[in-house]
Amino acid sequence: GKVLLGIDGRVYDVSSFVDQHPGGKLMLTNNAGKDVSDAFKKIGHSEKAKQQLASFFVANLEVTEEGKAMAAARRAEAANAPPPQPAARRGLPPPI
C-alpha cells in the first residue's frame, strides 16, 4: 500500500522512497497515515531532504474540528493507558 505522511498541513506519498530512507524503512511505514511534523523537525533534516520531500507532495491537509477532537481524544487515551508490558511478562505471574 501507499505510505502517506502528514507534515505541516501537507500530505506526502513517500511510497517510492521507503527503501532508500536513511533512517530505515520502518521509520516511514510505522508512521504511515500520521502527522509526523514534530518528528520531521526534531530530527533536523537537511535542506536536500526538505527539497526531496517536496517532490512527494500530493495534497494539502484540511483538519476539521471533528478531526481535532478525535486527535485530542486519542492523545488523552494514550496518556491514560497503562505502560506496555515487556513481551516476556505478558500472561505470566508476577516475579517473586
Side-chain angles (χ1 to χ4, degrees):
K2 291 187 181 260
V3 179
L4 302 174
L5 302 175
I7 300 173
D8 293 335
R10 294 182 173 91
V11 179
Y12 299 91
D13 181 351
V14 296
S15 305
S16 64
F17 182 65
V18 168
D19 291 326
Q20 291 83 36
H21 185 253
K25 183 179 196 171
L26 292 178
M27 185 69 66
L28 299 179
T29 58
N30 286 350
N31 288 293
K34 298 178 184 176
D35 180 343
V36 296
S37 302
D38 292 340
F40 187 81
K41 292 173 193 165
K42 187 176 182 179
I43 288 172
H45 285 88
S46 67
E47 283 305 313
K48 181 180 177 184
K50 292 174 187 174
Q51 290 171 0
Q52 188 173 22
L53 179 67
S55 71
F56 300 124
F57 174 81
V58 291
N60 287 312
L61 182 63
E62 181 180 340
V63 180
T64 63
E65 290 304 314
E66 181 183 10
K68 288 178 186 177
M70 289 172 62
R74 281 195 301 270
R75 283 192 301 273
E77 185 178 298
N80 293 325
Q85 295 180 347
R89 295 288 332 143
R90 289 186 195 126
L92 297 177
I96 298 177

